[in-house]
Amino acid sequence: MPGPDRSPTRGRQAARERIAAKRAAEQEAERLRRRRRGQLIAGITVAVVVVAAVLVTVLVQSARTDTADAVAPANTAAGTAETGFAVGSPGAPVTVDVYEDYLCPACRAFEESTGDTLDQLVADGEVLVRYRPVAILDRFSDDAYSTRAANAAAVVADTAGADAFHAFSESLFAQQPAENGPGLTDDELIDAAAQAGAQGDDVAAAIRDLRFGDWVASATDRASRDGLTGTPRILVDGEPLEAPTAEALSAAVEAAQG
Amino acid sequence: MAPVRAPLLERGAGVLPWVGTVLRVVVGTVWVVAGSLKLPDPAAAERAVRAYQLAPEGLVPLLAFGLPVLEIAVGILLLAGVFVRPAAVVSALLLAGFIAAVSSAWARGLSIDCGCFGGGGEVDADSTAYLSEIVRDGALLVAALFLVARPRTRWALLDRAPTSRGGPDAGS
């Protein structure tokens, strides 16, 4: 005999409720599933966009730093991959490499304290100095002075040779501008170039137009890959000098002579 | 839940999402600024990476050019309040890596600027700032870990914290 709950009407009612509850649960599950799928797709999209942005940026920045077609100035020194200018006798027993940025105060200090010692060692035929201008301090200049000065030095070397380059360098360090301000103007660079022995309309145009700007970037990049992290960097027969002082330099040169 | 704890919990629930919002904006802004400053001078970015003397030359362009993009992307996600937990996880990993790199430079006696906001390279031995760089990155790391634990905050596009009132911010 059927109990009170088993009347046909009540049974159908309960069944309908069960079906409705099941449908609601299914709809809820479907809603959650769709939301998760939506989030997954959005997440993958964001990840793909970020990876694509990274790749595009790497390509663009690599192109911006590419200096493969840079034109090197004439009169560069052997063994510097066209990035340096040598002063002294090629037969000198010791080679000194000097990496300098024309805006670097420590380089000016090195020139003041040790320039004469170095010049004397060159005059005595004891060392060959390979000067390697680099531009790593443009961000401390209102007008990219590091690059402009190194370009002008390359123009002088290109036109009048390594000794004129050396005279020009000394003159630039003697009138070095302060960091975080304007550098020497193009006209001042052109005057200094003329005094060092490089003059004429072509010199002036090359200084104004940054004829060797790409070369400066390329030389700086090569120096960085060779381990340059700051200036001045002085190598005595390839060995970094601990302190940029006249005493340290003399001692290192003496040691290198054996 | 015990009735006596309810007011405290509600107050906590009311303040913590706002704390999360502040941290999200701070960390996100730092990322966007730090990443953007490294883009204008790519050669300097490469020199900053090389100054650590850690990465092989083949990886230098990827680190110097790719990391800033990742920083900006993570910063935008944090500022927008979208995918906050993954962005916070990436933030924490990046910051832990930066802290390790700066500590390593310090331990090896290098005299470099971290290059955290562009620049970088060698500096005078007495103008290194390793401790303050590590403390700063450590503070940002703590903030990132907070967001990993509680990614839902106020004023977020997607990862909104539920409000007690309900309303438009409820659920999500």
Side-chain angles (χ1 to χ4, degrees), chain A residues 43 57 61 64 139 224-225 229, chain B residues 39-40 50 69 83 119-120 122:
Chain A
T57 307
Q61 300 287 60
R64 283 179 69 198
R139 70 178 184 281
S224 165
R225 279 185 275 123
T229 54
Chain B
L39 291 177
R50 288 191 191 115
V69 178
F83 295 117
E122 195 169 303

Side-chain angles (χ1 to χ4, degrees), chain A residues 165-219:
Chain A
F165 160 89
H166 183 46
F168 180 74
S169 284
E170 286 184 331
S171 145
L172 287 200
F173 280 117
Q175 46 185 326
Q176 186 183 65
E179 286 180 318
N180 301 311
L184 301 184
T185 64
D186 283 348
D187 286 336
E188 286 167 328
L189 290 173
I190 290 166
D191 283 347
Q195 279 169 24
Q199 40 203 315
D201 291 345
D202 191 54
V203 168
I207 287 176
R208 287 188 207 286
D209 303 342
L210 286 180
R211 181 173 296 169
F212 298 115
D214 280 351
W215 173 84
V216 172
S218 160

Side-chain angles (χ1 to χ4, degrees), chain A residues 224 228-229, chain B residues 46-54 105 108 110 112-113 120-122:
Chain A
S224 165
L228 176 90
T229 54
Chain B
E46 286 189 310
R47 290 197 294 274
V49 171
R50 288 191 191 115
Y52 284 91
Q53 300 174 27
L54 285 173
R108 283 176 292 154
L110 302 181
I112 63 171
D113 177 281
E122 195 169 303

Side-chain angles (χ1 to χ4, degrees), chain B residues 16-100:
Chain B
L16 281 182
W18 285 112
V19 173
T21 302
V22 170
L23 296 178
R24 199 161 55 72
V25 169
V26 168
V27 178
T29 305
V30 169
W31 278 138
V32 170
V33 169
S36 307
L37 287 173
K38 293 175 191 127
L39 291 177
D41 191 347
E46 286 189 310
R47 290 197 294 274
V49 171
R50 288 191 191 115
Y52 284 91
Q53 300 174 27
L54 285 173
E57 182 58 32
L59 275 182
V60 168
L62 190 61
L63 291 173
F65 307 150
L67 273 183
V69 178
L70 194 57
E71 292 174 8
I72 294 171
V74 165
I76 290 173
L77 290 180
L78 287 177
L79 285 175
V82 177
F83 295 117
V84 169
R85 182 170 275 158
V89 168
V90 174
S91 297
L93 291 175
L94 284 174
L95 288 162
F98 292 160
I99 291 170

Side-chain angles (χ1 to χ4, degrees), chain A residues 65-122:
Chain A
T65 51
D66 180 29
T67 50
D69 52 358
V71 179
N75 302 318
T76 53
T80 64
E82 298 187 313
T83 66
F85 307 102
V87 176
S89 159
V94 179
T95 302
V96 175
D97 288 287
V98 178
Y99 293 86
E100 288 176 316
D101 184 307
Y102 288 107
L103 191 56
C104 144
C107 300
R108 176 188 186 153
F110 171 76
E111 288 292 327
E112 281 173 359
S113 71
T114 316
D116 289 346
T117 307
L118 206 47
D119 288 345
Q120 190 59 49
L121 288 166
V122 167

